[in-house]
Every structure is written in C-alpha cells, then in structure tokens.
Amino acid sequence: MTPTPRFIPVIAIDGPSGAGKGTLSRLVAHRLGYHLLDSGALYRLTALAAMDEGVDIDDPETVANVARHLDVTFDAEGAETRILLNGRDVSRDIRTETVSMNASKVAAYPPVREALLQRQRDFRREPGLVADGRDMGTTVFPDAQVKIFLTASPEARAERRYLQLLEKGEKVDVDALADDIRRRDQQDSERTISPLKPAEDARYLDSTDLSIDEVLEQILTAVKP
Ligand code: DC
C-alpha cells in the first residue's frame, strides 16, 4: 500500500505591495526553518525575461511561453536570496519601476498564471513553506494551514518604499510612488483572474501602525496550533 503523503504545512501571506510581506515572510520562514516562495519574483522575472528577449509584452501567449521556459535559480545566502536568470544575478534588475509595471501587466494574463502555477507548488517541501504573494491562500495553496492577508494604507506603503529606495541611493518622488502603488493595486485587484483579495478564511492584518516585530509576533501567534 502506498503511504499517505505527509501534509506539508504552508503559511500563505498575501496582500498588496509594500505592506511588508517580503520582509515578514523572510522572518517567519527563518524562525520556523521553512522554505520561502517569493511568487512576485516569478512574475517580475517573466516580465524581465520578456523585455530582454524583445518579445511582444502585450501578447499573453508569447509571454506565457517565456514564463514556461524561465531558467531561474533562487540562491539562498543567509538571510538574503540571490535571484539568477539564465545564470545572471538579476536581484536588483527585477525591482525597477519599469519591471514592476510590466510584472503587474503580465500577472493579469491567464496563460502566464497557469504557466507559473506548478512551479510555485513545487516549492512546497519539508518541513514547510512560507508563500508570499497575492493568491497564495486563494489559488496556489488553498489548503494552506494559515492564511494571512497583510495590508497597510497606500501612503504608508509609499513611504516605506521611498525609504527603501533612498537607502539604495535612488532618488524618487514619494507622491509619484503613491500614485504608482494605487495604479498597481487597482490593476491587481480588478483583474478577472486571481485578483488581489483575501481568502475567506484569511486573517486580516493591517500593518499601517505596527512595527515589523509586532506584525511578526501576530503571525507567529496565528501559526501556533
Ligand atoms: O509582490 P511583488 O510586488 O514582487 O509582485 C510583482 C507583481 O506580480 C505585482 O504586480 C503583483 C503580481 N503578483 C501576482 O499577481 N500574484 C502573485 N502571487 C504575486 C505577485
């Protein structure tokens, strides 16, 4: 008789960009010794690869083909993860505003989402996975043990992004960032496939007035049986 496969726990952390999902997912994964899936990176990599290859980014099937053949390595180095595309370190390149807008665009294409589905599920390995994204709890891992929907006001998210960019030595206009965030939220929430919305069984967590440590404690409390 084939033994029943052991249930591998998944902690799904969904929400809009800038809510702190990336940082918190990394911290939660580290605390629990779990693997980490940065699903947004896969959409960003698809956009970057499509741009690099010069294909028509407005054609969903062509972009899905790029997604299907992505040669990606997530190289964990302590707390940081280096992201390699065709062996080239693109960890910074995938975070530019142009790639962000194109990632949001290609993420709305159903064949692209389909092409990336199994690749995301393959991250589920012992002893467990923290999955960061928009549809982790609704579509990719509907049986996740814990589902968190982490959000913050657009202003707070723009401010955090502004500080991040400033730290990297990039100069940006905080109002333009807030506009970009609103536009991307709208694009991500209004698309017909896997829109950004909390799973019915998700815990809603607003991080606007909370520190990272406070949010981390709330998530870890939710994870404890
Ligand atoms: O989390 P992020 O900002 O790196 O995500 C990049 C883009 O990909 C963003 O526009 C939302 C989209 N995305 C998605 O549609 N589904 C996911 N599971 C993760 C990200």
Side-chain angles (χ1 to χ4, degrees):
M1 218 171 71
T2 332
T4 317
R6 213 184 80 81
F7 180 81
I8 301 177
V10 175
I11 315 233
I13 305 186
D14 289 307
S17 47
K21 280 176 301 135
T23 306
L24 281 151
S25 298
R26 211 173 331 114
L27 290 171
V28 173
H30 185 69
R31 279 279 197 104
L32 301 173
Y34 281 11
H35 299 281
L36 177 65
L37 164 63
D38 173 3
S39 62
L42 291 173
Y43 292 96
R44 291 174 178 275
L45 285 157
T46 302
L48 180 65
M51 287 157 67
D52 282 354
E53 290 173 31
V55 304
D56 180 4
I57 207 141
D58 292 317
D59 180 46
E61 280 304 335
T62 308
V63 181
N65 203 34
V66 172
R68 242 172 257 125
H69 297 103
L70 278 183
D71 172 8
V72 178
T73 312
F74 289 88
D75 194 4
E77 278 185 359
E80 293 302 315
T81 303
R82 275 194 331 143
I83 301 177
L84 308 180
L85 178 64
N86 300 318
R88 178 169 68 97
D89 187 346
V90 293
S91 315
R92 286 176 75 101
D93 296 3
I94 60 165
R95 307 279 164 204
T96 64
E97 287 303 301
T98 316
V99 172
S100 300
M101 278 319 284
N102 279 330
S104 172
K105 181 181 213 173
V106 305
Y109 299 159
V112 168
R113 303 201 73 86
E114 180 59 37
L116 294 177
L117 190 58
Q118 193 54 47
R119 201 188 271 260
Q120 295 174 80
R121 289 186 174 151
D122 289 343
F123 277 78
R124 187 175 195 164
R125 294 191 307 268
E126 296 278 9
L129 176 70
V130 177
D132 160 0
R134 303 293 187 289
D135 61 342
M136 299 296 98
T138 50
T139 308
V140 183
F141 303 108
D143 62 341
Q145 180 199 9
V146 174
K147 299 179 185 178
I148 308 281
F149 193 83
L150 185 63
T151 188
S153 69
E155 294 73 21
R157 291 187 279 131
E159 179 75 23
R160 288 174 195 171
R161 178 89 183 120
Y162 174 73
L163 292 174
Q164 265 179 2
L165 292 173
L166 210 62
E167 220 169 81
K168 286 194 218 157
E170 291 174 40
K171 229 171 117 50
V172 275
D173 172 23
V174 74
D175 292 331
L177 272 180
D179 283 348
D180 269 3
I181 283 181
R182 274 194 209 93
R183 199 147 21 103
R184 231 179 307 152
D185 278 359
Q186 194 178 9
Q187 202 162 294
D188 293 340
S189 321
E190 291 179 355
R191 67 178 177 227
T192 45
I193 181 163
S194 287
L196 169 66
K197 68 163 201 258
E200 267 174 31
D201 47 351
R203 285 158 208 256
Y204 195 87
L205 209 54
D206 186 333
S207 72
T208 306
D209 298 315
L210 298 178
S211 69
I212 289 178
D213 283 344
E214 286 168 326
V215 182
L216 178 63
E217 284 318 311
Q218 292 209 23
I219 297 177
L220 290 173
T221 305
V223 171
K224 280 184 207 132

